[in-house]
Amino acid sequence: MLKAVRVIVALLLVLLGTAPVHAVTPDRRAEKEKWTGTWAAAASGTAVPLPGASIRNVVHTSVGGTATRVRLSNRLGIHPLHLGSVTVALQEQGYFPRPDAVPGTMRRVLFGGRPTAVVPAGREIVSDPVRLDVPGGSDLLVTVYTPLDDGPATYHRIAKQTNFLAHGADHAADVGGAAYTSTVRSWYYVTGVDVRTARAAGSLVTLGDSLTDGVGTTPDSNSRWPDRLADRIAALPPRHRLGVLNAGISGNRILNDRSGPGALKRFDADVLRRSGVRTVIVLEGINDVMTDAAGEDGIKAFKKAYRSMAKKAHAKGIRVVGATLTPYRGHLAHTPQREALRRQINRFIRKEAPFDAVVDFDAAVRDPKQPDRIRSAFDPGDHLHFNDAGMKALARAVDLDQLTG
């Protein structure tokens, strides 16, 4: 009798619209799913627009999910950006990079329920959710058709990835890649991909310069240290698993805006506004050192900048891992004075900085006999960047337990 009464009460609550959420939500797994960043690229500058072209961007996921959404940027543009058509699909795999989609995975991307959108200058837009099972460690095709000449195109210059162009018509929804007759090694407009998942605890942003951007690595191999770190993280239990978002820009600095917006200026957009961010690893400063950007302020300027980033992140509940600056003797920009500043900065990062943890990249890659140089096995030839082996060494230096506290 009591059970029957409870059933009747529950039905009345539903009819009156006052039933508790758990009484009308049958899918417990869906309750736990949240949006998490799985891939990112920072807006690094602008390129000549491609009116009438379909740009097929190839992006590599770190964690998977049951749905996806994409972030498209006109952050550095000066006119409104007209998106004529956007699609997402899994990339067909082959010995060489291909513009073909896996049959059955092509999806139209909508914005407020519509297939077209206008992105104001200086802004970004996030799409509606797209139902698509996205595996972790897979390659997605994010294709953007831009019908008009909207002025300078926001892009990420050094993708280390073969992307594809189809000219003269809207080929965004093409499953086959026959129309994509030319290639480009930059990502246009797309700056982020999220997935909806219950199998990750959030995301990790790697804020950096060319060392994070992947200069020195093999193209189309996803050998940047954040990629290699994502491979390690993928083996963790879901409660410790994080999507990895690469926010590296080649030539980037902390103290000014040359080679893309400076780290302080872009910190909000590339770290704080990303989906599900739990932790940020900061590897920035070597370009400032090599160009004397700090001027007479020297170490004081760096201390102020690092503290500012830590304060911003902590205000949002984001954990901060500071990375020591790696050696570069042998590079044309190296001088004894700059080397002394690099060591001062590293002492601050190790001992004084308001970070939650430290990853000692300097110790991981320096030559033990010549600590102002990187190991020859990690050097692609310029004595500054890292080859694939060097990137693996950086990724191995990260203590996974420090990423989620």
Side-chain angles (χ1 to χ4, degrees):
M1 181 67 178
L2 181 60
K3 183 176 179 181
V5 170
R6 286 175 177 169
V7 171
I8 293 170
V9 170
L11 290 173
L12 287 172
L13 288 173
V14 170
L15 291 172
L16 293 171
T18 58
V21 173
H22 62 78
V24 293
T25 305
D27 190 351
R28 291 287 187 179
R29 184 177 62 86
E31 287 181 8
K32 298 178 182 178
E33 289 188 334
K34 296 180 181 179
W35 286 108
T36 296
T38 187
W39 175 89
S44 68
T46 59
V48 175
L50 299 168
S54 300
I55 308 157
R56 185 150 280 184
N57 300 280
V58 181
V59 307
H60 188 69
T61 67
S62 53
V63 293
T66 59
T68 187
R69 63 187 184 188
V70 299
R71 184 186 305 261
L72 299 169
S73 181
N74 191 26
R75 195 193 311 170
L76 306 179
I78 58 176
H79 303 298
L81 168 65
H82 293 78
L83 301 174
S85 182
V86 179
T87 62
V88 63
L90 294 176
Q91 183 188 31
E92 189 77 78
Q93 297 301 300
Y95 187 78
F96 296 106
R98 300 170 58 181
D100 306 85
V102 173
T105 68
M106 181 63 68
R107 302 286 189 274
R108 287 279 185 187
V109 176
L110 304 180
F111 305 88
R114 298 180 179 181
T116 63
V118 178
V119 188
R123 302 287 294 278
E124 292 188 339
I125 190 171
V126 179
S127 77
D128 298 346
V130 178
R131 287 189 174 274
L132 177 66
D133 285 330
V134 177
S138 62
D139 294 316
L140 292 179
L141 304 175
V142 180
T143 308
V144 181
Y145 171 63
T146 52
L148 305 177
D149 183 346
D150 292 326
T154 297
Y155 80 149
H156 182 88
R157 183 170 64 91
I158 299 179
K160 304 295 288 187
Q161 175 68 55
T162 300
N163 303 296
F164 303 92
L165 296 177
H167 299 275
D170 181 0
H171 292 282
D174 289 10
V175 175
Y180 291 85
T181 55
S182 58
T183 61
V184 63
R185 290 204 174 261
S186 301
W187 287 303
Y188 280 75
Y189 302 116
V190 60
T191 54
V193 177
D194 298 338
V195 291
R196 192 165 58 208
T197 181
R199 299 191 60 77
S203 60
L204 160 72
V205 178
T206 59
L207 183 72
D209 47 42
S210 57
L211 304 181
T212 299
D213 208 8
V215 171
T217 62
T218 303
D220 299 313
S221 68
N222 299 304
S223 294
R224 313 162 194 86
W225 72 262
D227 297 313
R228 296 308 187 191
L229 179 58
D231 294 340
R232 293 184 62 207
I233 292 173
L236 296 176
R239 68 181 182 277
H240 294 300
R241 197 175 299 156
L242 299 171
V244 178
L245 308 181
N246 190 325
I249 295 178
S250 293
N252 203 229
R253 305 181 190 180
I254 296 177
L255 303 177
N256 62 45
D257 296 332
R258 295 186 182 181
S259 299
L264 287 174
K265 179 176 287 187
R266 66 189 182 95
F267 196 84
D268 286 12
D270 290 337
V271 179
L272 304 184
R273 295 178 194 155
R274 296 293 180 170
S275 297
V277 178
R278 294 277 304 276
T279 305
V280 56
I281 299 178
V282 178
L283 174 60
E284 283 264 17
I286 200 65
N287 289 311
D288 301 87
V289 171
M290 292 195 302
T291 56
D292 300 315
E296 295 181 358
D297 289 338
I299 186 64
K300 292 181 181 179
F302 287 96
K303 289 181 177 181
K304 181 179 179 180
Y306 288 129
R307 285 171 174 149
S308 175
M309 286 188 280
K311 183 178 180 180
K312 280 189 170 188
H314 288 153
K316 296 290 185 178
I318 295 173
R319 186 173 176 82
V320 184
V321 178
T324 53
L325 304 186
T326 53
Y328 68 103
R329 185 181 169 194
H331 190 275
L332 292 175
H334 187 274
T335 68
Q337 294 77 19
R338 292 169 179 170
E339 175 64 18
L341 178 58
R342 182 184 74 88
R343 295 190 183 202
Q344 280 185 293
I345 293 169
N346 283 348
R347 281 195 295 272
F348 172 73
I349 290 172
R350 291 182 180 112
K351 302 295 185 181
E352 303 176 43
F355 299 144
D356 301 287
V358 173
V359 53
D360 201 340
F361 283 161
D362 173 39
V365 300
R366 68 191 179 206
D367 186 329
K369 295 181 179 179
Q370 302 178 86
D372 54 357
R373 291 180 179 269
I374 63 175
R375 292 174 181 264
S376 59
F378 299 157
D379 188 352
D382 65 3
H383 313 299
L384 170 65
H385 297 99
F386 297 97
N387 58 22
D388 296 355
M391 291 292 184
K392 284 185 179 180
L394 292 176
R396 286 196 301 266
V398 178
D399 183 345
L400 301 186
D401 290 336
Q402 293 182 338
L403 298 181
T404 52

